[in-house]
Every structure is written in C-alpha cells, then in structure tokens.
Amino acid sequence: TNPANIRNFSIVAHIDHGKSTLADRLIQVTGGLTEREMKEQVLDNMELERERGITIKAQTVRLDYTARNGEKYVLNLIDTPGHVDFAYEVSRSLSACEGALLVVDAAQGVEAQTLANVYAAIEVDLEIVPVLNKIDLPAAEPDRVRAQIEDVIGIEAHDALEISAKTGLGIEDVLEAIVHRLPAPPAGDPDAPLKALLVDSWYDAYLGVICLVRIHEGTLKKGMRVRLMGTGANYNVDGVGVFRPTKINVDSLGPGEIGFLNASIKQVRDARVGDTITEEKRPTSSMLPGFKPAIPVVFCGLFPVDANDFEDLRDAVERLALNDASFSFEMETSAALGFGFRCGFLGLLHLEVIRERLEREYDVDLITTAPSVIYKIKMTDGEVIDLHNPADMPDPVRIDTIAEPWIKATILVPDEYLGGVLKLCEDRRGIQKELTYAGSRAMLVYELPLNEVVFDFYDRLKSVTKGYASFDYQFIEHREGDLVKMSILVNEEPVDALSMIVHRARAEMRGRGMCEKLKDLIPRHMFKIPIQAAIGGRVIARETLSALRKDVTAKCYGGDASRKRKLLDKQKAGKKKMRQFGRVEIPQEAFIAALKMD
Ligand code: GTP
C-alpha cells in the first residue's frame, strides 16, 4: 500500500469511556466484523481483561476504508492498555502511530488517565483528534467537556466529534477524521535495507512468538532471514501477516505498514520490544530509538497454600512469564510459608491480575505477602543495595541510609470529596504540589512515597470518593527516609511473611492495626497467645489472644447431631489451610486479611 493511503492510529481514553466499544464499531463499519462477533468485544480478548473491563496487551487491527471522496485507505488501529500500571505499554503502542483519537466520555469529562495518556501521545508528537463519546446519554454535556479539554489538557477541541459508540452515531465521521485529520506515515523507500520496529511480542501456542512490527524502510517478506539488532540473533521469517482482526497472511509489508511476523522464536524475552529488525544479509545502518525496558516496581511473595502445589506454581509462573516480560520471579523460602516465589510487577493492578490468573487459569491457591517496593540501602561501607524483600534487610547497625521511591500522583475528584482525598494524602505522608479546578472537579497533584500507595491507596481513594476519583502516577525518584523494618511476632515467634518496611512515624499505628487484626483472625488456642509488633528488639504494639476454654461444639447445646457434625467437618476443612507457627496455627485467611491494611 502507498503510505499516503495508510493511517496508523491509537485510541486513548480513560477506563470505561468507551474505547473498546468504539474500536469494535470501527471494525464493524469497515466490514471486519459481523453483528454477532461484535457482541463478543474482540479487542479485549482475555477473559480477565473483559471481566475487569481493562485492556492489558495491545491488540492491533487493520481496517479497509473507502472514504467519501472515493479513495481507498488502510487504517491500522493499535489498541492501548487503559490502566495506570501499563503506562509504559501505552507509550510503546503510541510510538508506532502518527495520530490518536482522544475519547472522552461526554457525561464524565476528563479523568486522570485521559490526562496521562494524552500527554504520552503529545510526547511522541501524535496528531490528536478529540472525540466526545456517549452523546446519547441524557447527562452528556459536550460543550462543557469541550471547554474542559481545552482548559485542562490544553488542546484545541472546538472541532471535537460528537459520537455514540454504543448506538453507532457519528462513526463515519470518525473514519473521515482519521483519514483527513491524521497524517500519513512518512514515505519510506521500499527497496532500502529493512528497518522495522518491534512494537510488541507475545506467545502463541501454534506459531511461537508473534512479533508486532511497524515497517519504517524496506520490505519485510516471508522467507527472509532477519536480524534482531539488539540481541544480534538471526531468524527465518516463517510468516508475515496482518490482523483483520484474525491473523491473515500476506506476502510482504512495506514502509508505513503494521503487521506481524513469526519466526520460530522460542521466548518472548528473545523478541525484545523496541528492538530494530533488519535483513541479515543487507542490514540497515542504524537502529531505531528503542524503548526503556519495563521495570517491576512492586514486589511480593507468592506461596502455595498447599505445599504440594509448589511444582504446579512453578510451572504456572514460568508459563506466565513466557508471555509477560514485565513480570519477574525468583524462588524464595519463608520460614512461615515454605517454598514460593518473590515476584515483581509493574504495579498493584498488575499484581492482582497475575495473582488472579494463577489462581483461576492454573488452579493454585495462593498466599500473597505484603507488597513491597525497592529500597536503596546505603551501607556504612559505602555499598548500595537494592532491597525488595523485607526479609533480606541487613543488620541496622551496618546501614547508613535508606531511600524509598516517591511518585507524583495526579488525582481528579469532584469538589465534595476533596476534603477526604486531602486527608488521605496527608495521612500517607503526601506533599501537595498543586490544587487547581476544572469546572466542579479539583485536580490535585501530590508527591507520595510509593510504599504508602501500594498497600491500599486505591481502595481507600475509592471509598472516600464513592468511586468518583481518578488516579494516575509516575515514579519520580528515591528519597531518603526514616525507615525501619517492623516484625510481627506470634507467641514470641517472628512471622516472616508479615514483616514490612515502614516509616518510623507510621510504625506504631501500622503495628497496632496489624496486632488488632491478627487477634481477630487467629483462632484461640488452649493457651494465651501474645501478638506483638516490634522494631529490632523493641515491642511497639501488643495484643493478647486469650486462651480457649470451651469446646467449639458446646454452643450447639448437644441437641442437633447433624449440626455438630457439620461444624466439626468445617473445622477439619479449615485445618488444611492452616499454617503452623511453633505451637500456634494461623489460618491462610488471616494472612490475606492481615495484609490488607486500612
Ligand atoms: P477499557 O477497555 O477498560 O479501556 O474500557 P473502554 O474505554 O474500552 O470502555 P468500553 O468500551 O468497555 O465501554 C465502557 C462502558 O461504556 C460499556 O458498558 C459500554 O457499553 C458503555 N459505552 C461505550 N460507548 C457508549 C456510548 O456511546 N453510549 C453509552 N450510553 N454507553 C457507552
């Protein structure tokens, strides 16, 4: 295809503003989908993604469109993930495009991820067409939202399109705008040495690793021998194709085009996103600017509830990592929890998604330890250690300073909830940087320690704003802080899975909260059990679980035998999920519940 008739674009939006619905409509209108297939939202194709209404892996689809002027165009839509944890994948998808549709819910207005995503698009110089969606809703206020886009984002919005992805209203106008308002890709030389960007890669059970590529110069053909310039490895191209949205093989891809190649690459790690692909025997002289690798920022331990499931967990974790280069893992042993893995994630949502997939798709019950961030520890001898497991904390006498990661958070919230959000941020050691208004919404910018955010910041934010706040963040830097390791002792025995690194000023409160919780969560035993939080040897909080006197079945008054039986059975089932600590048994739920701080 002539590059002049190609348009490569993304849709950027806040979660739920209708990106997937619009994408499906575009596919449908251009003939790629029947009404029935349309129902099964094609672009969000992972079960979990659909359920949570989030997109994680970028999907791509090629559309054929004959414009009103009679010209035929090829439109490549690259989907972008919609969540804060995956900002990195967003910017990667965007760099394969020339333009983006900015979809804003006309009833809801601009939200935090709208901002983050549109700034990412502006950063890579994309042309942006604002689209006001859900115009069919009675609550839609297109004029207000138009003004808001101009005020808050600072881009021209008077010619924003008004559409309803749900009813199909205005979809043709979107296609015309893509053709006429977004630029064509630069006209590269199809005969030049191949230069293609590896935009994304994932594992396919039939074809091995699939590489999503954007051709800059030259022509990619089936049968070619290509080199991945970053790794230096060479491969035979077994197939070249495009997504419509199912995979269709084509003979070749030329400059400006987006498609895939498969080349019997075994692991996603070998097909590094951002790498430049060229021809082995006629390489291009320079590489394309790549991407920084995605770095895990949140860590936690994952342990099987049943120790016999360890091998299954290992299998599952390895398979997951095959397809998710931003997920890292290494073996870990815990005195409390046995064998498991220390895993790294892009953020809390990524953690939750992986945990759920492990439990659901691979059928292993898991215990998750408290999420931790990466601390930079400067030792008295000058050495600097990256610490992401509180269990590995060196002896405090050898520590000079500890630095923790800080983030810049942007929060948009309706006026009436502002007070609650301010309090939450202050409680979490936040430093207010900005407070501005956009209509009846406040936009807050705070600097916060990431360690205060990983616990339950989202949950708290949601509850203090009844779900009306939106939140986005970026890492800024490591800063020194007065941080200490807090241990939890049950019956004088430290429970390693519950130890955490906290700010000294917050330690007592956290410790007290943890002890109180555990007191309710650990079943009573025949003896008294002290539950303590300690920093070094100093106890900072303590609760005592009193001894059990009566038989659990006593409250059944001996009358109903079947009820008694049931109670005993239930107790027995519960036993399997118990962990033994010295003489004390702690149920698995206690860990999960205790690790949810509030
Ligand atoms: P992510 O995949 O998480 O990024 O969300 P999304 O932006 O793709 O949102 P999605 O397309 O899944 O739409 C969210 C909800 O809004 C769904 O319930 C849609 O049916 C609904 N919706 C989308 N477009 C419209 C519209 O034009 N009008 C109305 N009334 N509802 C819409």
Side-chain angles (χ1 to χ4, degrees):
T1 315
N2 180 355
N5 287 35
I6 298 175
R7 297 292 181 273
N8 298 317
F9 72 103
S10 273
I11 304 177
V12 298
H14 186 75
I15 291 173
D16 274 353
H17 283 197
K19 182 174 54 128
S20 309
T21 312
L22 174 60
D24 292 346
R25 274 289 170 205
L26 294 175
I27 298 169
Q28 187 198 21
V29 167
T30 55
L33 263 188
T34 62
E35 184 76 36
R36 191 183 58 79
E37 290 169 315
M38 168 85 191
K39 288 220 180 69
E40 308 161 0
Q41 284 207 349
V42 175
L43 284 187
D44 285 359
N45 57 7
M46 261 166 57
E47 182 193 353
L48 200 64
E49 289 186 13
R50 179 121 35 93
E51 229 167 78
R52 300 183 148 238
I54 49 162
T55 321
I56 298 164
K57 272 274 159 211
Q59 305 284 318
T60 302
V61 57
R62 171 160 160 161
L63 313 168
D64 289 324
Y65 177 62
T66 306
R68 287 183 186 139
N69 65 12
E71 286 267 340
K72 286 185 162 38
Y73 291 88
V74 168
L75 314 180
N76 290 306
L77 163 59
I78 301 195
D79 197 12
T80 54
H83 191 276
V84 37
D85 283 1
F86 305 99
Y88 166 79
E89 301 202 10
V90 173
S91 61
R92 188 166 95 194
S93 310
L94 293 178
S95 64
C97 303
E98 279 77 39
L101 302 176
L102 165 65
V103 173
V104 182
D105 184 324
Q108 205 95 53
V110 171
E111 294 288 355
Q113 271 127 48
T114 317
L115 283 176
N117 290 340
V118 78
Y119 290 147
I122 291 169
E123 210 161 288
V124 288
D125 278 336
L126 299 195
E127 187 67 36
I128 293 161
V129 173
V131 175
L132 309 178
N133 188 33
K134 308 201 187 181
I135 215 79
D136 59 298
L137 292 178
E141 295 181 86
D143 291 332
R144 189 181 63 81
V145 174
R146 231 183 228 112
Q148 202 194 16
I149 292 176
E150 297 196 340
D151 287 354
V152 180
I153 305 179
I155 61 171
E156 188 62 53
H158 74 272
D159 52 1
L161 304 173
E162 296 185 14
I163 70 157
S164 167
K166 189 164 165 186
T167 67
L169 178 84
I171 301 301
E172 284 250 347
D173 296 331
V174 175
L175 289 161
E176 287 293 312
I178 292 168
V179 164
H180 298 296
R181 288 168 61 181
L182 299 184
D189 177 1
D191 300 318
L194 178 66
K195 184 186 260 188
L197 179 68
L198 205 169
V199 181
D200 198 1
S201 64
W202 59 92
Y203 191 77
D204 178 287
Y206 300 103
L207 301 175
V209 174
I210 307 259
C211 300
L212 179 69
V213 296
R214 155 81 197 251
I215 314 294
H216 285 254
E217 282 168 27
T219 304
L220 173 70
K221 295 194 184 97
K222 183 179 166 179
M224 211 174 203
R225 272 196 67 83
V226 292
R227 168 175 301 162
L228 269 51
M229 295 177 79
T231 62
N234 300 311
Y235 300 93
N236 244 341
V237 176
D238 301 330
V240 175
V242 295
F243 299 96
R244 332 195 47 121
T246 48
K247 291 193 223 58
I248 305 284
N249 284 308
V250 297
D251 297 330
S252 66
L253 291 171
E257 292 194 288
I258 291 177
F260 70 87
L261 71 83
N262 57 288
S264 307
I265 302 174
K266 297 277 179 314
Q267 292 191 57
V268 178
R269 281 167 216 285
D270 298 330
R272 290 209 296 248
V273 295
D275 206 343
T276 302
I277 301 173
T278 193
E279 192 176 1
E280 182 185 19
K281 66 169 193 273
R282 197 166 62 115
T284 179
S285 54
S286 62
M287 287 176 69
L288 293 159
F291 314 109
K292 281 185 266 146
I295 301 165
V297 291
V298 175
F299 293 81
C300 77
L302 296 179
F303 294 86
V305 169
D306 181 345
N308 294 321
D309 287 343
F310 176 74
E311 287 304 325
D312 290 346
L313 176 62
R314 183 208 295 276
D315 253 23
V317 162
E318 280 172 357
R319 261 186 291 164
L320 265 183
L322 219 54
N323 218 355
D324 186 344
S326 47
F327 163 63
S328 70
F329 67 96
E330 57 186 53
M331 235 190 75
E332 179 182 11
T333 45
S334 152
L337 303 175
F339 290 105
F341 294 95
R342 188 81 190 162
C343 301
F345 308 90
L346 295 175
L348 271 191
L349 182 91
H350 189 211
L351 186 163
E352 259 177 64
V353 166
I354 296 245
R355 208 206 54 210
E356 268 190 56
R357 289 188 65 187
L358 286 169
E359 294 205 320
R360 196 185 305 189
E361 292 170 30
Y362 299 94
D363 200 26
V364 273
D365 278 336
L366 294 172
I367 297 176
T368 319
T369 64
S372 171
V373 298
I374 302 179
Y375 297 94
K376 293 210 174 288
I377 301 194
K378 198 163 137 224
M379 307 295 286
T380 46
D381 64 7
E383 191 192 355
V384 178
I385 298 174
D386 277 356
L387 178 84
H388 53 70
N389 189 348
D392 301 333
M393 178 94 151
D395 184 347
V397 301
R398 291 172 48 226
I399 295 175
D400 185 12
T401 57
I402 305 180
E404 61 180 333
W406 280 68
I407 57 164
K408 184 177 123 185
T410 305
I411 301 166
L412 270 87
V413 61
D415 230 6
E416 65 255 50
Y417 305 114
L418 179 62
V421 177
L422 288 172
K423 177 160 189 317
L424 175 65
C425 291
E426 297 296 327
D427 282 351
R428 301 301 170 99
R429 298 192 278 136
I431 302 169
Q432 191 180 314
K433 288 305 205 188
E434 266 175 57
L435 171 55
T436 49
Y437 285 88
S440 61
R441 303 170 75 79
M443 184 172 103
L444 265 175
V445 178
Y446 258 90
E447 290 180 355
L448 286 156
L450 183 59
N451 113 346
E452 299 285 347
V453 173
V454 296
F455 279 96
D456 61 345
F457 190 83
Y458 294 127
D459 290 349
R460 300 289 309 147
L461 185 65
K462 253 191 264 160
S463 78
V464 299
T465 63
K466 302 205 163 66
Y468 283 112
S470 59
F471 170 73
D472 201 273
Y473 73 81
Q474 284 166 301
F475 169 75
I476 36 181
E477 61 183 354
H478 271 83
R479 289 184 193 162
E480 269 177 34
D482 190 5
L483 299 156
V484 290
K485 174 174 163 180
M486 180 174 80
S487 309
I488 301 294
L489 297 95
V490 174
N491 205 25
E492 317 282 339
E493 301 247 2
V495 180
D496 58 356
L498 295 178
S499 65
M500 59 177 77
I501 291 169
V502 290
H503 193 265
R504 196 185 297 276
R506 309 252 302 141
E508 197 185 317
M509 205 201 73
R510 277 261 174 84
R512 204 172 330 116
M514 188 68 111
C515 291
E516 279 166 13
K517 264 197 173 158
L518 285 170
K519 186 183 166 196
D520 293 336
L521 293 164
I522 299 175
R524 291 203 278 164
H525 285 58
M526 301 309 289
F527 46 90
K528 247 201 304 196
I529 303 173
I531 301 168
Q532 298 158 308
I535 298 173
R538 196 169 63 85
V539 172
I540 54 166
R542 174 190 171 110
E543 292 284 333
T544 305
L545 187 60
S546 56
L548 184 69
R549 281 190 208 90
K550 287 185 220 119
D551 177 2
V552 269
T553 57
K555 59 173 175 266
C556 293
Y557 301 110
D560 185 344
S562 76
R563 234 181 100 196
K564 211 172 194 174
R565 173 81 272 140
K566 242 185 235 156
L567 200 60
L568 287 171
D569 281 351
K570 215 164 119 199
Q571 238 193 356
K572 213 154 78 201
K575 265 264 185 324
K576 277 198 304 215
K577 295 199 163 186
M578 293 280 196
R579 292 271 162 188
Q580 191 79 36
F581 290 87
R583 294 161 62 214
V584 180
E585 282 181 329
I586 305 182
Q588 176 223 343
E589 291 80 18
F591 287 99
I592 297 170
L595 291 167
K596 279 213 172 85
M597 293 296 288
D598 53 25

